[in-house]
Amino acid sequence: MSSLPRRLARGDPAFEVTMKANPTLFTGPGAPLALTSAALFGASTPMAKGLLGAGVSPWLLAGLLYLGSGIGLAVLQLVRRAGRARPSEAVLARADWGWMALVALTGGVAGPLLLMFGLAVTPASSASLLLNLEGLATMAIAWVVFRENVDRRLLIGAAAILGGAMLLAWQGAAAPVGWGAALIGGACLAWGIDNNLTRKISASDPTQIAMVKGLAAGAVNLLIALALGARLPAPVLTVAAGGVGFLGYGVSLVLFVLALRFLGAARTGAYFSTAPFVGALLAMLLFGEPATWRLFLAAALMAVGVWLHLAERHDHEHVHEPMEHEHAHVHDAHHQHVHGPGDPPGEPHVHRHRHGRLAHAHAHYPDLHHRHGHAS
């Protein structure tokens, strides 16, 4: 395989072969990963509600959920490494730890702190509605700050998904919320920043990213809760909270990071906004909550929004500028490089590699290798 990638375009036999060998370049697993992440997180909401009803304090529960995700993923990481002769993902590099610290600070500490203070002075109905601002914040930051591409179809799809989420959360007229609304809005902004910063390190091991965030955020929130007088609940409730956190926060975040690789922050955030529907549906099944017209209308709006995103086809001539990074990959059209004597055999594999300049055209998302500008 040549060490200097040549120009590939549609119709070139080499281009067609590589595209057929790697069909994820056209559609990719990003949407299923993001939707599964949303489903796990959405399912954790009624589970957490049940734990709160059993007497666990909100702040202590936040710490247990995050800590459960971090500990569970740490065990999973140890088991995975013990069973593999070589790494399947790139570990966080020294340059990534600054971003990782910001992710833990904004999403794991600032977000929950602002939310707890906001909840203390905000009606529940208003708080549920305001929490849907996270998806909007994620998409707005991705489009405005990081210049991810967006067209009319995606805007309409995102509006439909968010509209369904907000309709689902609306419980009727709410009292004025004042500073509480500002604090909850600040929490959503912190999580939106967190989601976009996580995109910067999404090439690294997603399990390691979620593990570090869970352990850091869990320890901070748990210590604060205990310092304020909270007491650990019964062992069975503690274990239950940890289990909910492992699936709803830990595994969900791993899938979210993987989705970021393929879709970018804006599209992943849009898919993730379907989480409230999953939570409402599960609450209806588990707790006998009534099926309302809002649920069905919200489902219809979200279905339209998801379909508009799934039907997207972004295809144009684009240029990949030279870059060097490390992540799990196969030798597709975007990875035409030779291996040195120390590089791993087999595919997929992980090693630091350099991309030469490459110009071609195919359908793509703003993934790891397509974070380029667009002409206005």
Side-chain angles (χ1 to χ4, degrees):
M1 187 170 291
S2 172
S3 60
L4 295 176
R6 60 189 176 85
R7 178 188 177 89
L8 298 177
R10 193 179 306 282
D12 187 314
F15 176 78
E16 299 298 335
V17 167
T18 52
M19 291 298 134
K20 290 177 181 177
N22 188 17
T24 59
L25 290 173
F26 286 116
T27 56
L33 287 168
L35 289 170
T36 305
S37 172
L40 287 172
F41 182 75
S44 72
T45 302
M47 299 296 183
K49 179 180 178 180
L51 290 167
L52 288 171
V56 183
S57 74
W59 209 328
L60 183 66
L61 180 59
L64 292 175
L65 290 170
Y66 275 113
L67 206 56
S69 73
I71 293 173
L73 291 174
V75 173
L76 184 64
Q77 190 85 316
L78 289 173
V79 172
R80 189 179 67 171
R81 288 183 177 178
R84 289 183 178 272
R86 52 190 176 88
S88 59
E89 292 283 354
V91 299
L92 286 165
R94 180 178 299 178
D96 296 331
W97 282 101
W99 296 113
M100 188 68 246
L102 289 174
V103 165
L105 180 64
T106 55
V109 179
L113 281 174
L114 289 169
L115 176 62
M116 293 304 161
F117 284 116
L119 285 176
V121 293
T122 305
S125 58
S126 298
S128 298
L129 182 63
L130 289 165
L131 284 174
N132 288 293
L133 290 173
E134 179 186 349
L136 183 60
T138 299
M139 288 181 275
I141 293 170
W143 289 332
V144 175
V145 178
F146 294 99
R147 301 294 182 183
E148 284 192 14
N149 174 257
V150 60
D151 57 22
R152 185 177 300 175
R153 170 190 287 269
L154 288 176
L155 282 174
I156 295 173
I161 293 172
L162 285 171
M166 296 178 77
L167 179 65
L168 194 65
W170 181 250
Q171 301 294 326
V177 290
W179 282 105
L183 290 169
I184 294 175
C188 293
L189 178 62
W191 285 320
I193 294 172
D194 162 29
N195 293 335
N196 279 276
L197 293 178
T198 302
R199 175 182 181 263
K200 303 284 289 185
I201 55 176
S202 60
S204 300
D205 187 347
T207 305
Q208 185 185 18
I209 292 171
M211 177 191 71
V212 171
K213 181 179 178 181
L215 292 174
V220 170
N221 287 307
L222 187 64
L223 288 174
I224 292 175
L226 293 175
L228 292 176
R231 294 292 178 265
L232 288 175
V236 64
L237 293 179
T238 301
V239 173
V244 171
F246 171 65
L247 293 174
Y249 286 62
V251 177
S252 175
L253 180 55
V254 170
L255 298 178
F256 187 91
V257 175
L258 288 171
L260 286 173
R261 292 183 180 179
F262 296 98
L263 300 175
R267 289 159 179 82
T268 303
Y271 285 123
F272 195 78
S273 296
T274 60
F277 172 73
V278 177
L281 185 62
L282 191 60
M284 184 180 68
L285 296 174
L286 293 180
F287 304 117
E289 295 187 3
T292 65
W293 64 268
R294 282 196 300 269
L295 182 65
F296 293 108
L297 185 54
L301 283 170
M302 289 182 176
V304 170
V306 169
W307 178 81
L308 286 171
H309 279 249
L310 289 174
E312 175 193 9
R313 183 176 178 85
H314 183 68
D315 187 345
H316 64 96
E317 180 87 7
H318 56 277
V319 176
H320 299 267
E321 297 298 339
M323 66 180 297
E324 185 174 331
H325 61 177
E326 183 177 2
H327 65 94
H329 64 277
V330 297
H331 285 179
D332 54 24
H334 297 97
H335 294 89
Q336 299 182 46
H337 54 258
V338 295
H339 275 201
D343 289 328
E347 295 183 12
H349 52 238
V350 179
H351 66 96
R352 192 157 192 84
H353 55 278
R354 184 179 184 278
H355 295 266
R357 189 177 187 277
L358 174 65
H360 60 183
H362 64 87
H364 60 279
Y365 297 104
D367 57 27
L368 286 176
H369 301 97
H370 295 93
R371 294 175 179 173
H372 50 256
H374 292 79
S376 57

